[in-house]
Amino acid sequence: MDFFPDTAAGPVTGESDTLDKPDWDDLEVTWGQGGAKSFMKQPRTVQEATDAGFVQVGSSVCGENGVYNGIAYVKDEDYSVTLLFDVNGFIAGIQHGIPKQDADTTGYPSEKIQPPMVLVEDRYVLTAYFTDPNTICSSGRTRSVFNVEGTGTDLWLQTGNTASEVTLIPYYQTGLNVTNWTEGKCFPTMGKHYWYNVTVDMDCDTFYPVFLLYNGGKLNSFGWALLTGLDSVNYEHPIIPALGVSA
């Protein structure tokens, strides 16, 4: 499953003198080649979410569960796309959830990827933030800031059992050169894939369930990659050759 903040060229900031920092001015999920179930736009305020049929799940107090920051909303009890909003009702992140009863049946996720998958209430969750996790439950964003920043400013992946354990993902592809992210294939209309710490003879139970996508050297998407069978219109089921990594 992929998440597209819908990037466009923006003002030059930070890491590069030649590449523009992307503006994330939308939020779409699920890659596809046309049709109603591809690049599905998601609400970016609580008001838009409730108007679209999303309902709040878990605690209504931001961060009260002690596991992730944000107030969670889902539609039709489908936790594959769980939107996280800050204390002011603006988009702050996104989450994937697997019901514990499904995990108990399939044996996924393996203990070797817990975390980043963390048990909270009745489900295992993967969490990504688009705004600073430290401010989501304190100050949040104002309408004027949201209007300027759009979906967010950066991509943080939660790597531990609490929202304080996160990794900031580089905006620019060159920033991955000194990391354990492994270059994969460039898939048309998706981008250059990066997988975490992938090796030829690795234990599949340790396969990291997140991938990154870069276009023109800039981060424009990311996705969850889950080695189990799950049922939702939000999931894609790529053919095996599409998952190959560079030699």
Side-chain angles (χ1 to χ4, degrees):
M1 183 192 305
D2 311 298
F3 303 93
F4 297 84
D6 204 13
T7 62
V12 175
T13 306
E15 296 177 50
S16 173
D17 293 329
T18 58
L19 293 175
D20 291 340
K21 189 175 183 180
D23 286 333
W24 290 348
D25 53 11
D26 210 338
L27 178 61
E28 301 171 350
V29 303
T30 309
W31 173 85
Q33 296 179 315
K37 300 302 181 182
S38 60
F39 298 102
M40 294 178 284
K41 287 184 178 291
Q42 301 300 305
R44 296 185 298 155
T45 68
V46 165
Q47 184 62 60
E48 291 175 355
T50 55
D51 289 347
F54 282 75
V55 297
Q56 186 253 312
V57 294
S59 175
S60 60
V61 178
C62 190
E64 185 178 55
N65 58 58
V67 176
Y68 61 85
N69 282 347
I71 302 171
Y73 281 73
V74 302
K75 186 174 183 178
D76 299 330
E77 299 183 346
D78 185 350
Y79 287 89
S80 64
V81 174
T82 303
L83 302 178
L84 300 179
F85 296 94
D86 67 20
V87 290
N88 296 325
F90 296 103
I91 192 70
I94 200 163
Q95 195 175 73
H96 177 276
I98 298 177
K100 186 177 184 300
Q101 62 183 17
D102 292 348
D104 290 343
T105 299
T106 64
Y108 186 90
S110 159
E111 291 183 357
K112 296 178 181 179
I113 54 170
Q114 297 181 42
M117 302 195 78
V118 182
L119 181 63
V120 56
E121 298 163 353
D122 60 350
R123 62 194 184 277
Y124 288 90
V125 299
L126 272 170
T127 305
Y129 302 105
F130 307 138
T131 63
D132 186 348
N134 292 319
T135 65
I136 290 171
C137 293
S138 54
S139 59
R141 293 194 288 174
T142 63
R143 166 61 71 175
S144 59
V145 171
F146 171 74
N147 288 343
V148 171
E149 294 180 346
T151 301
T153 59
D154 288 280
L155 176 63
W156 287 264
L157 298 179
Q158 184 165 326
T159 55
N161 292 308
T162 69
S164 64
E165 300 171 86
V166 294
T167 295
L168 178 62
I169 300 301
Y171 258 123
Y172 303 107
Q173 193 171 330
T174 54
L176 299 177
N177 292 341
V178 292
T179 71
N180 287 327
W181 288 96
T182 305
E183 183 177 346
K185 292 185 176 181
C186 184
F187 197 87
T189 73
M190 292 183 75
K192 172 68 75 173
H193 286 66
Y194 276 84
W195 309 91
Y196 191 74
N197 205 25
V198 173
T199 61
V200 173
D201 57 353
M202 67 183 294
D203 178 355
C204 289
D205 283 343
T206 67
F207 181 76
Y208 200 74
V210 185
F211 63 91
L212 309 176
L213 289 171
Y214 286 79
N215 271 286
K218 296 176 287 188
L219 178 68
N220 82 313
S221 181
F222 73 103
W224 312 131
L226 311 169
L227 300 186
T228 188
L230 296 168
D231 184 25
S232 170
V233 297
N234 296 314
Y235 294 123
E236 307 142 36
H237 300 281
I239 58 175
I240 294 300
L243 301 178
V245 297
S246 299

